[in-house]
Each structure stands twice: as C-alpha cells, then as structure tokens.
Amino acid sequence: MMLLRQVMTILWETQIGLRNKKLFWLTLILSFLAGLIPLAIGQTEYGITLFGFDLEEATFGSAVVEPKVFYGLLFSLIGAFWLTWIASILGLVSTSGLVPDLIADGSIELTVSRPVRRTVVLLSKFLGGLLFMAGQVCVFTLASFFAIGIQGGGFIAELFLALPIVLVFFSFLSSFCLLMGVLTRSTIASLLLTILFWFFLFLLHQVEGTGLFFVASQDIKIERAERIETQLEVRREELATLPADSNDADIERKRQTLVSRIERAEQFLETTANPQRESAEDNLSWLRPAHQGVLALKTVLPKTAETMSLLTRQLADSGLAVEEEDDRSLESLITTSDGQREMEMVSERLEEEFAERSVLWILGTSLAFEFFILSIACWRFSRRDF
C-alpha cells in the first residue's frame, strides 16, 4: 500500500508538471482535430467524397468495400501517420525532460530524501510519460470513433486497439529516452539521441525489407524454372499417350501443338529460365545469410514499424484483398514479358511474410529489449550521486 501511494504521488506530480506546459494542451487539441479528419471523407456506392466533392475512386466505393472496412483502413492510415510520427514526436518532446529537469532544478534532492526507492521514482516518471501519451491517443481515438460513427453510419469498437498498441510502441522510445536522460542529464541530448535511435530502427526495418524483397525475387526465379520442368514433364506424358499412327486430323493437330509448345518451353528453359535459376542460386548463397544477419539484429531490437502494423492487421478485413489465381500453365511460365506479374508475386510474398510474423516475436522481443534498457537506467539512477 505504501509503494502504491508513493507511485501515485509521483505520477500526480509528474502530470501536474506536464499540464502546466502549453505543449500539453496543444498536443491534445491537435490530436482532437486530427481525429475529426474522417468527417471530411465520405463513402458513396461507387466512390468517395472529400468535403462533399465526389472523387472517382470506385475501388473504395461501398459496392466494393464495406463501410466498416473502409473506415477501419482510413483510421489505420491516419493513425499510422499521426500517432506514429506527429503524436510520438510531440510526446517525446514533452516527456524527454522528466528526468533531466528533475536533476537540474534540484528536485531530486527532495525526492530522494523521502522514504522511497530511486527505482520507484524513475519508473514512476516513465509511467507518467506513458500516461501523457495515453491522453493523446485517447483523445484522437475518441474523436475518430464518433467521427466515423457519424460519417460511416456505424461505430467501430476495434479502433480502441490503438491505445495499447501505440502505448507499447511509444514505450520502446520512451525507455531509451529515459536511459539517455539518466546518462546525459540533458533534455536536448536525450531527445536527439532517441530520435537518432528511432531513425536507426526505421532504417534497419527498410534494409531488412529490401533484403527480403531480393531473396523473394530470387526464390521466385528458381520456382519458375522448377514449375516449367514440371509442366514440361506433364506435356511430354500427354504427348506419349497419343496414338503413334493416326489418321485423325484432330489428334494430329493436337500432336503438332504439343510438340511446338514443348520445343518452345525447352528452348526457353535452356536459354532463359535455367540461366536465371543458376544466377539466383548464386545470389542466394550470400543474399540469404546477409538477410538472416540483419533479421537477427532486428530481433533483439524494438520493432517499431511492425508494432504499429499490428493495428492495420486488426482493422483490415482479410477478405478485402482480391485473390488472383496463380496461372501455372506452361504458356504463362515461358512468357518473357511477365515481369509485372513477377513483381506482383514478390510483393504478395512480402506481405505474407510480414503477416506471418507472430505477435510474440514482434512484441515479446521488443519488450525484452525495453526491460533491458529500463534495468540499466534504474541501476545507473540508483548508483549515481546527485
């Protein structure tokens, strides 16, 4: 009970300090206004409207996409921009000085003179920063909830999943900022170092995604050659089943067609598919280990981009994507102008790969890093002389 009272007291003092800053109220107002953006976007049967003006975007019309799915995706897009970037930066700017200011203005002497552990003080400050961010997310989500309910004709309770997801995302950055504040005692330094760390995580995610893209493209080239060989074997067996001597014109025509297609496929396999497969196998001999190395580094660090993508996963309807049948016919496989389809297959494979990454891997490993960072911060804060 004593510990709970101590934590609540520090949290209350932290919130009072934040509320006394003009930035606190500015961020709440901006979050509220950002949450009202769905009021400006409507959905018709065959398109969408922006401030009442019709836009010819039939892909998003209610005849194609259900209003709940449309506004859920709209919220995830707006939230991905506002909550991931603007709100998070404002949150870091507002909370980065919690520890440095405590040390600089001499409040630390009064705080540590109380019968309260330094670890409790530091973690309470950390929770105070998360509560600040929770206020922004709540205001934004509530505004979006009612805006979408009014504009879309139905309320979407799943929007409130943004609160835990964004708080976990922000806690990764806030914990690092807390450690930098303890080490540097400078608000500016801790903020800049945190933004640099955030940029590094973003860059690492892009590098890993690019590596995965090249690995997938090489895999598809190998699979294409293997499918051609499989289809060739089927055609040869089909040709072998035709009577050797027949006066039937249809059978003879079918034989000539099969022979022609087999010859074309064999030539394509020899001149194009097999060389591409050999080149892909050589490339994968170093591409795959390189990608695995980047992925291993990414595993032990916070996954900010993939954490925020969890919101889109929950709001997006799996039936929204139009599933195109993969044409595995021999004729399609030997079409040299099929580069666009190959790029689509690579993109689809990337989406599948990211979607298959478990929540445990995304959040579990990221929270383990956060626990490690907070442990170092608590150890250093407890041992430091003020």
Side-chain angles (χ1 to χ4, degrees):
M1 186 63 67
M2 176 68 71
L3 177 61
L4 180 59
R5 255 198 318 267
Q6 292 172 346
V7 172
M8 296 303 296
T9 300
I10 297 173
L11 284 177
W12 179 251
E13 292 174 351
T14 302
Q15 294 306 306
I16 291 177
L18 290 173
R19 290 174 186 175
N20 289 335
K21 297 180 179 179
K22 294 180 180 179
L23 187 59
F24 174 84
W25 301 105
L26 177 62
T27 54
L28 289 185
I29 294 172
L30 291 177
S31 294
F32 177 75
L33 294 176
L36 295 180
I37 291 177
L39 284 176
I41 303 174
Q43 186 186 32
T44 62
E45 185 176 0
Y46 299 106
I48 60 176
T49 62
L50 180 63
F51 294 106
F53 295 98
D54 290 330
L55 301 177
E56 295 182 0
E57 292 290 345
T59 305
F60 301 104
S62 59
V64 180
V65 182
E66 294 181 4
K68 180 177 180 180
V69 176
F70 171 76
Y71 283 103
L73 291 175
L74 178 63
F75 175 82
S76 66
L77 290 174
I78 298 173
F81 173 74
W82 180 260
L83 296 177
T84 303
W85 297 105
I86 307 301
S88 295
I89 291 175
L90 291 174
L92 287 174
V93 171
S94 301
T95 61
S96 60
L98 289 178
V99 173
D101 291 348
L102 180 69
I103 299 173
D105 62 11
S107 300
I108 185 63
E109 296 179 0
L110 178 61
T111 302
V112 299
S113 66
R114 300 174 182 175
V116 55
R117 295 171 63 91
R118 290 189 177 188
T119 300
V120 174
V121 174
L122 188 66
L123 293 181
S124 297
K125 290 291 183 181
F126 173 68
L127 290 177
L130 294 186
L131 284 177
F132 172 86
M133 190 64 183
Q136 289 194 68
V137 181
C138 285
V139 169
F140 173 83
T141 306
L142 281 171
S144 296
F145 178 75
F146 287 107
I148 289 175
I150 294 171
Q151 187 75 307
F155 295 99
I156 306 175
E158 290 84 354
L159 298 186
F160 292 99
L161 289 171
L163 180 58
I165 291 175
V166 174
L167 284 184
V168 170
F169 159 81
F170 184 74
S171 70
F172 303 152
L173 302 175
S174 182
S175 62
F176 187 84
C177 189
L178 189 77
L179 175 60
M180 294 301 103
V182 172
L183 296 178
T184 65
R185 300 189 183 192
S186 169
T187 299
I188 298 298
S190 60
L191 178 61
L192 291 178
L193 289 172
T194 302
I195 291 176
L196 286 175
F197 177 65
W198 188 5
F199 177 74
F200 172 75
L201 295 178
F202 171 77
L203 186 63
L204 183 65
H205 176 72
Q206 296 300 316
V207 170
E208 192 267 328
T210 302
L212 186 60
F213 174 87
F214 285 114
V215 168
S217 64
Q218 301 306 305
D219 282 335
I220 287 175
K221 286 182 171 61
I222 295 173
E223 292 168 7
R224 183 185 192 186
E226 292 174 348
R227 290 203 302 269
I228 291 175
E229 291 177 344
T230 301
Q231 290 290 340
L232 262 175
E233 189 62 29
V234 171
R235 292 299 171 90
R236 288 174 183 141
E237 292 176 357
E238 186 179 355
L239 180 62
T241 59
L242 295 179
D245 297 321
S246 175
N247 295 325
D248 192 322
D250 291 337
I251 293 178
E252 188 60 30
R253 190 181 305 110
K254 185 176 182 180
R255 183 198 306 280
Q256 293 176 359
T257 301
L258 282 173
V259 169
S260 174
R261 290 178 176 175
I262 289 173
E263 289 176 350
R264 280 188 59 205
E266 289 175 340
Q267 182 180 5
F268 182 83
L269 186 65
E270 181 180 355
T271 60
T272 304
N274 277 338
Q276 286 182 350
R277 173 166 56 181
E278 293 173 0
S279 176
E281 289 173 346
D282 291 339
N283 291 334
L284 285 176
S285 64
W286 64 269
L287 265 176
R288 202 182 298 278
H291 172 258
Q292 291 298 323
V294 175
L295 184 61
L297 176 60
K298 185 178 177 180
T299 298
V300 300
L301 294 174
K303 284 151 280 295
T304 52
E306 288 171 313
T307 298
M308 289 303 296
S309 70
L310 293 175
L311 181 60
T312 306
R313 278 201 211 179
Q314 298 298 321
L315 293 176
D317 185 2
S318 59
L320 180 62
V322 179
E323 295 184 359
E324 298 181 5
E325 183 180 357
D326 184 13
D327 190 350
R328 296 173 180 266
S329 67
L330 186 60
E331 288 70 31
S332 68
L333 292 172
I334 64 175
T335 302
T336 55
S337 61
D338 201 28
Q340 181 178 357
R341 176 56 185 156
E342 184 174 321
M343 292 299 295
E344 291 174 357
M345 291 174 65
V346 173
S347 299
E348 291 169 4
R349 187 159 300 187
L350 287 181
E351 292 177 3
E352 292 174 1
E353 174 67 25
F354 283 119
E356 288 174 359
R357 292 181 176 178
S358 67
V359 176
L360 179 62
W361 180 79
I362 295 173
L363 296 184
T365 55
S366 300
L367 289 172
F369 177 86
E370 180 179 330
F371 177 79
F372 175 73
I373 290 295
L374 288 176
S375 299
I376 297 177
C378 290
W379 173 80
R380 190 69 184 91
F381 189 73
S382 298
R383 288 178 166 270
R384 191 159 196 170
D385 294 328
F386 298 106

